Amino acid sequence: MLFNSLSFILFFLPVALAGFYALAAWNSRWAAAWLVAVSFVFYSWWTASLVFLLAGSIAFNFLCGALILRAQQREALQSWLLRLGICGDLLLIIYYKYFFGLLNWLGFHGLISLSHPYSVVMPLGISFFTFTQIGYLVDCKGGVVKTNRLLDYCLFVTFFPHLIAGPILHHREMMPQFADPKTYRFRWENLAVGTALFVIGLFKKVVIADYFIMFVSDAFNDTHGLPFFNAWDGALSYSLQLYFDFSGYSDMAIGLAILFGLRFPANFNSPYRAANIIDYWQRFHMTLTRYITLYLYNPVALWISRRRMAQGKSVSRKAISTPEGFFSLIAFPTFFSLILAGIWHGAGLTFVVFGLLHAVYLTINHAWRSFGPRVPETPPHPVLRITTTVGKVGLTYLAVVVAQVFFRASSVRDAVRFLKGMTGAYGFSGHAAEAWTPRFINPHLVLLHGFVLAGLYIVVWTMPNSLQLLDKYKPTLTEIRLNSPILFECKPTVVWAVVLGLVSAVALLEITGMTEFIYFRF
Amino acid sequence: MNPNVMNTKEILEQLTEIFHQIFDDESIVLTPEKTAADIADWDSFNHINIIVAVEEHFGIKFQTAETEELKNVGHLIELIQQKLEAEKR
């Protein structure tokens, strides 16, 4: 079931909410069990049989976790159990996500003989629920997991607002909330704040992100001789589509959690406003960054640093300024985690290149910090200050857009051709381009589309984001830095009621129930 | 409380020293409320350096999950104290 479908909004959600608070008034355990049950129904809406896969994965990981907790004093046994658990999870995800892709690739290149291409239905959200649970197993071994009640664990994994596409949760931030009796008490404020965030997200998805679908597919489906303007329009349209689609989804997920009295970590914080790539990853898909930092980057970097310490080598700033130190302390862990982060999105060389590009960006960013000239953070003159900020944000965003072309394109060759088009290698526009994109035959539409793009960039670059608007009500577990004027604070006033009412009305009317979220594929 | 374990003030002083070395910036003033967001270069990379330097300086070892939970300097101090007390026992 999709968040952006009428059956979800008008039927599933009201029933789930009413049942939850009705049972909660009586017994909070039953309310939690109800949430698990409706979450399984939610998941079964796509392919009923895959419910067994989800249930199997939960049972397997819960068992592994319980065994790891049991073996508390025996370090070696714990490590083996952890390895077993992680291998089991990885095998499942490799089978469903990568195995057939690789098989067909080998067959296509004549390395093995296949009578026909094979495929398998990929269970939705498999990357999300598998990684959530791998994190849980690591936490079991790390001694962070204190309680392991089966019902709470099931709720932690299946809770429908995050099941398909995140935010990626930590066990330790959810369990105390499930145990807290306050969670199960109905509060009007939660209803208001959750609904506000949900409709803002819905609007972002169905009105803004879906507007770009045709423009994006026009440009990316046929990259032969793509002229300059069309290529740039396609790339920028995709960039905005991706942002509004995924941040819209995240707003909806966080809003839904609030409706049930729960708080999720933030997932977006105006990423396109980042002034460097390191900052970008602190703002875009924040829970994935957090996951990768914690479970991939940190262990590798810690292992290297501890080893260097043991060998009597330095890990200080001076050590980084030697090429050898820079490579082993920064470049290696960065490439390792970013390439894996790329592949996490799916089988395909395009995702490897996407990861590689970001690893290169991040390494350059770090190298600049270590080797580059020391410039003051805030230049003294206001004009200079504004130009440096614009320059930094612009350069960062350009790098992001280039990587996004690989993220979207169907092959590396397509992406390269697309980028060539963006340099003007195939001409700028002209008749060929107009015939090529029928949507642009009418010059008024071109103008209108230009206004839409410009307007959205003003929103993306200057306006407060949805979490900042609702900051007063602490909508997320992680704090979002505030830099917006108080004028934009969302409050229970008539003006805001009218604005949000209009937003929901327009969003509801725009619902087609046909378009999936981009991140459902991952 | 065990009198052999360092108090908060002592740990804060030694942490300040570590921060000065890692960030190559003598002007950093640490307070228990300071978070990563308050210090410009405190990113995930420098975070690892802080962790490793603290481990070496105090002779303790952090769990992976603990490295992420550190919300502010005060929290780090608490964790160091806990670890030191555990060592003593």
Side-chain angles (χ1 to χ4, degrees), chain A residues 346-391:
Chain A
L349 273 180
T350 47
F351 293 118
V352 178
V353 176
F354 168 79
L356 260 175
L357 269 177
H358 272 284
V360 171
Y361 296 159
L362 283 167
T363 309
I364 293 174
N365 199 168
H366 281 301
W368 180 262
R369 277 193 186 173
S370 304
F371 307 117
R374 283 243 160 216
V375 281
E377 271 296 307
T378 41
H381 197 275
V383 177
L384 198 63
R385 200 153 54 218
I386 292 167
T387 38
T388 29
T389 307
V390 170

Short mmCIF file of all heavy atoms in Angstrom, two decimals, chain A residues 346-391:
data_model
loop_
_atom_site.label_atom_id
_atom_site.label_comp_id
_atom_site.label_asym_id
_atom_site.label_seq_id
_atom_site.Cartn_x
_atom_site.Cartn_y
_atom_site.Cartn_z
N GLY A 346 21.52 -0.79 -5.30
CA GLY A 346 21.10 -1.79 -6.27
C GLY A 346 22.25 -2.35 -7.05
O GLY A 346 23.37 -1.85 -6.98
N ALA A 347 21.94 -3.44 -7.80
CA ALA A 347 22.95 -4.03 -8.65
C ALA A 347 23.06 -3.14 -9.87
O ALA A 347 22.07 -2.76 -10.45
CB ALA A 347 22.54 -5.43 -9.05
N GLY A 348 24.24 -2.80 -10.28
CA GLY A 348 24.38 -1.96 -11.45
C GLY A 348 25.62 -1.13 -11.33
O GLY A 348 25.91 -0.58 -10.26
N LEU A 349 26.34 -1.05 -12.45
CA LEU A 349 27.57 -0.27 -12.44
C LEU A 349 27.31 1.20 -12.15
O LEU A 349 28.16 1.89 -11.58
CB LEU A 349 28.28 -0.40 -13.79
CG LEU A 349 29.23 -1.59 -13.94
CD1 LEU A 349 29.85 -1.59 -15.32
CD2 LEU A 349 30.32 -1.52 -12.87
N THR A 350 26.11 1.68 -12.54
CA THR A 350 25.81 3.09 -12.33
C THR A 350 25.90 3.44 -10.84
O THR A 350 26.38 4.51 -10.48
CB THR A 350 24.39 3.44 -12.82
OG1 THR A 350 23.48 2.44 -12.34
CG2 THR A 350 24.33 3.49 -14.32
N PHE A 351 25.45 2.52 -9.99
CA PHE A 351 25.49 2.78 -8.54
C PHE A 351 26.93 2.71 -8.01
O PHE A 351 27.27 3.42 -7.06
CB PHE A 351 24.60 1.81 -7.78
CG PHE A 351 23.14 2.02 -8.08
CD1 PHE A 351 22.38 1.02 -8.66
CD2 PHE A 351 22.52 3.23 -7.80
CE1 PHE A 351 21.04 1.22 -8.93
CE2 PHE A 351 21.18 3.44 -8.07
CZ PHE A 351 20.43 2.43 -8.65
N VAL A 352 27.75 1.87 -8.63
CA VAL A 352 29.17 1.82 -8.23
C VAL A 352 29.82 3.16 -8.57
O VAL A 352 30.54 3.74 -7.75
CB VAL A 352 29.90 0.67 -8.96
CG1 VAL A 352 31.37 0.65 -8.57
CG2 VAL A 352 29.26 -0.67 -8.62
N VAL A 353 29.54 3.65 -9.79
CA VAL A 353 30.12 4.94 -10.20
C VAL A 353 29.62 6.07 -9.30
O VAL A 353 30.39 6.94 -8.89
CB VAL A 353 29.80 5.23 -11.69
CG1 VAL A 353 30.33 6.61 -12.08
CG2 VAL A 353 30.40 4.17 -12.57
N PHE A 354 28.33 6.01 -8.97
CA PHE A 354 27.76 7.00 -8.05
C PHE A 354 28.53 7.02 -6.73
O PHE A 354 28.93 8.08 -6.24
CB PHE A 354 26.28 6.68 -7.83
CG PHE A 354 25.64 7.44 -6.69
CD1 PHE A 354 25.23 8.75 -6.86
CD2 PHE A 354 25.44 6.83 -5.45
CE1 PHE A 354 24.65 9.45 -5.81
CE2 PHE A 354 24.86 7.52 -4.40
CZ PHE A 354 24.46 8.83 -4.58
N GLY A 355 28.77 5.83 -6.18
CA GLY A 355 29.50 5.74 -4.92
C GLY A 355 30.93 6.23 -5.06
O GLY A 355 31.44 6.98 -4.22
N LEU A 356 31.56 5.81 -6.17
CA LEU A 356 32.95 6.22 -6.44
C LEU A 356 33.07 7.74 -6.53
O LEU A 356 33.99 8.33 -5.96
CB LEU A 356 33.41 5.62 -7.77
CG LEU A 356 34.26 4.38 -7.71
CD1 LEU A 356 34.52 3.87 -9.12
CD2 LEU A 356 35.59 4.69 -7.03
N LEU A 357 32.14 8.34 -7.28
CA LEU A 357 32.19 9.80 -7.46
C LEU A 357 32.12 10.50 -6.10
O LEU A 357 32.91 11.40 -5.82
CB LEU A 357 31.01 10.26 -8.32
CG LEU A 357 31.22 10.32 -9.82
CD1 LEU A 357 29.93 10.72 -10.52
CD2 LEU A 357 32.32 11.33 -10.17
N HIS A 358 31.18 10.05 -5.26
CA HIS A 358 31.05 10.70 -3.96
C HIS A 358 32.28 10.45 -3.08
O HIS A 358 32.67 11.31 -2.30
CB HIS A 358 29.76 10.30 -3.27
CG HIS A 358 28.61 11.20 -3.64
ND1 HIS A 358 28.48 12.46 -3.14
CD2 HIS A 358 27.60 11.04 -4.51
CE1 HIS A 358 27.41 13.04 -3.66
NE2 HIS A 358 26.85 12.19 -4.50
N ALA A 359 32.89 9.26 -3.23
CA ALA A 359 34.12 8.98 -2.48
C ALA A 359 35.21 9.96 -2.93
O ALA A 359 35.95 10.50 -2.09
CB ALA A 359 34.55 7.54 -2.70
N VAL A 360 35.29 10.18 -4.25
CA VAL A 360 36.29 11.14 -4.77
C VAL A 360 36.00 12.54 -4.23
O VAL A 360 36.90 13.22 -3.73
CB VAL A 360 36.29 11.14 -6.32
CG1 VAL A 360 37.14 12.27 -6.87
CG2 VAL A 360 36.77 9.80 -6.85
N TYR A 361 34.72 12.95 -4.29
CA TYR A 361 34.36 14.28 -3.78
C TYR A 361 34.78 14.44 -2.32
O TYR A 361 35.36 15.43 -1.92
CB TYR A 361 32.84 14.50 -3.84
CG TYR A 361 32.20 14.49 -5.19
CD1 TYR A 361 30.83 14.25 -5.31
CD2 TYR A 361 32.92 14.73 -6.35
CE1 TYR A 361 30.20 14.24 -6.53
CE2 TYR A 361 32.29 14.73 -7.59
CZ TYR A 361 30.93 14.48 -7.68
OH TYR A 361 30.30 14.47 -8.88
N LEU A 362 34.41 13.42 -1.52
CA LEU A 362 34.69 13.51 -0.08
C LEU A 362 36.18 13.55 0.18
O LEU A 362 36.66 14.30 1.04
CB LEU A 362 34.06 12.32 0.65
CG LEU A 362 32.55 12.40 0.86
CD1 LEU A 362 32.00 11.05 1.30
CD2 LEU A 362 32.20 13.45 1.92
N THR A 363 36.94 12.73 -0.58
CA THR A 363 38.39 12.71 -0.39
C THR A 363 38.99 14.07 -0.75
O THR A 363 39.87 14.57 -0.05
CB THR A 363 39.01 11.58 -1.23
OG1 THR A 363 38.30 10.39 -0.95
CG2 THR A 363 40.47 11.39 -0.91
N ILE A 364 38.50 14.65 -1.85
CA ILE A 364 38.99 15.98 -2.24
C ILE A 364 38.67 16.98 -1.13
O ILE A 364 39.50 17.80 -0.74
CB ILE A 364 38.37 16.44 -3.58
CG1 ILE A 364 38.87 15.55 -4.72
CG2 ILE A 364 38.68 17.91 -3.86
CD1 ILE A 364 38.22 15.81 -6.06
N ASN A 365 37.45 16.89 -0.62
CA ASN A 365 37.02 17.78 0.45
C ASN A 365 37.97 17.67 1.66
O ASN A 365 38.42 18.66 2.22
CB ASN A 365 35.59 17.42 0.84
CG ASN A 365 34.85 18.52 1.60
OD1 ASN A 365 33.66 18.47 1.78
ND2 ASN A 365 35.58 19.53 2.07
N HIS A 366 38.28 16.43 2.04
CA HIS A 366 39.19 16.21 3.17
C HIS A 366 40.60 16.69 2.85
O HIS A 366 41.28 17.26 3.69
CB HIS A 366 39.23 14.72 3.55
CG HIS A 366 38.06 14.30 4.37
ND1 HIS A 366 37.76 14.87 5.58
CD2 HIS A 366 37.11 13.36 4.15
CE1 HIS A 366 36.66 14.29 6.07
NE2 HIS A 366 36.25 13.38 5.23
N ALA A 367 41.05 16.41 1.61
CA ALA A 367 42.39 16.82 1.20
C ALA A 367 42.51 18.34 1.27
O ALA A 367 43.51 18.89 1.74
CB ALA A 367 42.68 16.33 -0.21
N TRP A 368 41.44 19.03 0.83
CA TRP A 368 41.44 20.49 0.87
C TRP A 368 41.57 20.98 2.29
O TRP A 368 42.29 21.93 2.58
CB TRP A 368 40.16 21.01 0.21
CG TRP A 368 40.07 22.50 0.19
CD1 TRP A 368 39.38 23.28 1.06
CD2 TRP A 368 40.69 23.39 -0.75
NE1 TRP A 368 39.52 24.61 0.74
CE2 TRP A 368 40.32 24.70 -0.38
CE3 TRP A 368 41.52 23.20 -1.86
CZ2 TRP A 368 40.75 25.82 -1.08
CZ3 TRP A 368 41.95 24.32 -2.56
CH2 TRP A 368 41.57 25.60 -2.18
N ARG A 369 40.88 20.32 3.19
CA ARG A 369 40.96 20.70 4.60
C ARG A 369 42.37 20.49 5.16
O ARG A 369 42.85 21.29 5.96
CB ARG A 369 39.99 19.87 5.43
CG ARG A 369 38.61 20.41 5.42
CD ARG A 369 37.79 19.75 6.50
NE ARG A 369 36.42 20.19 6.39
CZ ARG A 369 35.43 19.69 7.12
NH1 ARG A 369 35.69 18.74 8.00
NH2 ARG A 369 34.21 20.13 6.98
N SER A 370 43.01 19.37 4.73
CA SER A 370 44.32 19.06 5.29
C SER A 370 45.44 19.82 4.61
O SER A 370 46.37 20.28 5.26
CB SER A 370 44.60 17.56 5.15
OG SER A 370 43.58 16.82 5.74
N PHE A 371 45.36 19.92 3.28
CA PHE A 371 46.49 20.50 2.53
C PHE A 371 46.22 21.91 2.01
O PHE A 371 47.14 22.63 1.68
CB PHE A 371 46.86 19.61 1.34
CG PHE A 371 47.10 18.18 1.70
CD1 PHE A 371 46.29 17.18 1.20
CD2 PHE A 371 48.14 17.83 2.55
CE1 PHE A 371 46.51 15.85 1.54
CE2 PHE A 371 48.37 16.51 2.89
CZ PHE A 371 47.55 15.51 2.38
N GLY A 372 44.93 22.25 1.86
CA GLY A 372 44.58 23.52 1.24
C GLY A 372 44.95 24.70 2.10
O GLY A 372 45.35 24.56 3.26
N PRO A 373 44.84 25.92 1.53
CA PRO A 373 45.17 27.12 2.30
C PRO A 373 44.16 27.32 3.43
O PRO A 373 43.00 26.95 3.32
CB PRO A 373 45.05 28.24 1.27
CG PRO A 373 44.11 27.72 0.24
CD PRO A 373 44.33 26.24 0.19
N ARG A 374 44.65 27.88 4.53
CA ARG A 374 43.76 28.14 5.67
C ARG A 374 43.06 29.47 5.46
O ARG A 374 43.68 30.51 5.54
CB ARG A 374 44.57 28.19 6.97
CG ARG A 374 44.95 26.84 7.49
CD ARG A 374 44.30 26.62 8.84
NE ARG A 374 44.24 25.21 9.17
CZ ARG A 374 43.23 24.65 9.82
NH1 ARG A 374 42.21 25.37 10.16
NH2 ARG A 374 43.25 23.37 10.11
N VAL A 375 41.79 29.41 5.13
CA VAL A 375 41.05 30.66 4.95
C VAL A 375 40.06 30.83 6.09
O VAL A 375 39.55 29.85 6.62
CB VAL A 375 40.27 30.66 3.60
CG1 VAL A 375 41.20 30.96 2.46
CG2 VAL A 375 39.56 29.33 3.38
N PRO A 376 39.82 32.08 6.49
CA PRO A 376 38.86 32.30 7.57
C PRO A 376 37.46 31.81 7.17
O PRO A 376 37.06 31.95 6.01
CB PRO A 376 38.88 33.81 7.79
CG PRO A 376 39.50 34.38 6.56
CD PRO A 376 40.40 33.32 6.01
N GLU A 377 36.73 31.21 8.12
CA GLU A 377 35.40 30.68 7.86
C GLU A 377 34.46 31.74 7.30
O GLU A 377 33.73 31.49 6.36
CB GLU A 377 34.83 30.09 9.14
CG GLU A 377 35.17 28.63 9.36
CD GLU A 377 34.57 27.70 8.31
OE1 GLU A 377 33.33 27.78 8.11
OE2 GLU A 377 35.29 26.91 7.72
N THR A 378 34.50 32.91 7.92
CA THR A 378 33.61 33.98 7.46
C THR A 378 34.44 35.18 7.01
O THR A 378 35.05 35.85 7.84
CB THR A 378 32.65 34.42 8.58
OG1 THR A 378 33.42 34.46 9.80
CG2 THR A 378 31.50 33.48 8.75
N PRO A 379 34.48 35.41 5.70
CA PRO A 379 35.24 36.56 5.20
C PRO A 379 34.67 37.85 5.78
O PRO A 379 33.47 37.93 6.03
CB PRO A 379 35.02 36.49 3.69
CG PRO A 379 34.50 35.13 3.40
CD PRO A 379 33.81 34.67 4.63
N PRO A 380 35.54 38.83 6.00
CA PRO A 380 35.10 40.06 6.68
C PRO A 380 34.08 40.88 5.90
O PRO A 380 33.13 41.38 6.47
CB PRO A 380 36.41 40.83 6.88
CG PRO A 380 37.38 40.23 5.92
CD PRO A 380 36.97 38.82 5.71
N HIS A 381 34.27 40.99 4.59
CA HIS A 381 33.39 41.87 3.81
C HIS A 381 32.09 41.15 3.44
O HIS A 381 32.12 40.02 2.98
CB HIS A 381 34.12 42.33 2.54
CG HIS A 381 33.47 43.51 1.90
ND1 HIS A 381 32.42 43.38 1.03
CD2 HIS A 381 33.69 44.85 2.04
CE1 HIS A 381 32.03 44.58 0.64
NE2 HIS A 381 32.79 45.49 1.24
N PRO A 382 30.92 41.81 3.62
CA PRO A 382 29.65 41.13 3.34
C PRO A 382 29.51 40.63 1.89
O PRO A 382 28.99 39.53 1.66
CB PRO A 382 28.59 42.16 3.68
CG PRO A 382 29.30 43.45 3.88
CD PRO A 382 30.72 43.13 4.21
N VAL A 383 29.97 41.45 0.92
CA VAL A 383 29.86 41.03 -0.49
C VAL A 383 30.69 39.77 -0.72
O VAL A 383 30.24 38.80 -1.34
CB VAL A 383 30.33 42.16 -1.44
CG1 VAL A 383 30.28 41.68 -2.89
CG2 VAL A 383 29.46 43.40 -1.26
N LEU A 384 31.90 39.78 -0.14
CA LEU A 384 32.78 38.63 -0.27
C LEU A 384 32.16 37.40 0.38
O LEU A 384 32.24 36.29 -0.11
CB LEU A 384 34.12 38.97 0.40
CG LEU A 384 35.31 38.08 0.01
CD1 LEU A 384 35.61 38.23 -1.47
CD2 LEU A 384 36.52 38.44 0.85
N ARG A 385 31.49 37.67 1.52
CA ARG A 385 30.87 36.58 2.26
C ARG A 385 29.78 35.91 1.43
O ARG A 385 29.71 34.70 1.33
CB ARG A 385 30.28 37.13 3.56
CG ARG A 385 30.06 36.07 4.61
CD ARG A 385 30.11 36.64 6.01
NE ARG A 385 29.18 37.74 6.19
CZ ARG A 385 29.45 38.82 6.92
NH1 ARG A 385 30.60 38.94 7.51
NH2 ARG A 385 28.54 39.77 7.06
N ILE A 386 28.94 36.75 0.80
CA ILE A 386 27.85 36.20 0.00
C ILE A 386 28.40 35.45 -1.21
O ILE A 386 27.97 34.35 -1.52
CB ILE A 386 26.87 37.32 -0.43
CG1 ILE A 386 26.14 37.83 0.82
CG2 ILE A 386 25.86 36.81 -1.46
CD1 ILE A 386 25.39 39.12 0.61
N THR A 387 29.40 36.06 -1.89
CA THR A 387 29.91 35.39 -3.09
C THR A 387 30.58 34.06 -2.74
O THR A 387 30.41 33.09 -3.46
CB THR A 387 30.91 36.27 -3.88
OG1 THR A 387 31.70 36.99 -2.95
CG2 THR A 387 30.21 37.21 -4.82
N THR A 388 31.32 34.01 -1.63
CA THR A 388 31.94 32.72 -1.29
C THR A 388 30.88 31.68 -0.96
O THR A 388 31.00 30.53 -1.38
CB THR A 388 32.90 32.79 -0.08
OG1 THR A 388 32.46 33.82 0.78
CG2 THR A 388 34.33 33.02 -0.49
N THR A 389 29.83 32.08 -0.24
CA THR A 389 28.78 31.13 0.09
C THR A 389 28.12 30.61 -1.19
O THR A 389 27.95 29.39 -1.37
CB THR A 389 27.72 31.77 0.99
OG1 THR A 389 28.38 32.34 2.11
CG2 THR A 389 26.71 30.75 1.47
N VAL A 390 27.75 31.54 -2.08
CA VAL A 390 27.11 31.12 -3.34
C VAL A 390 28.04 30.20 -4.12
O VAL A 390 27.62 29.17 -4.65
CB VAL A 390 26.72 32.36 -4.18
CG1 VAL A 390 26.28 31.96 -5.58
CG2 VAL A 390 25.60 33.14 -3.48
N GLY A 391 29.32 30.56 -4.16
CA GLY A 391 30.29 29.74 -4.88
C GLY A 391 30.39 28.34 -4.30
O GLY A 391 30.34 27.35 -5.02
#
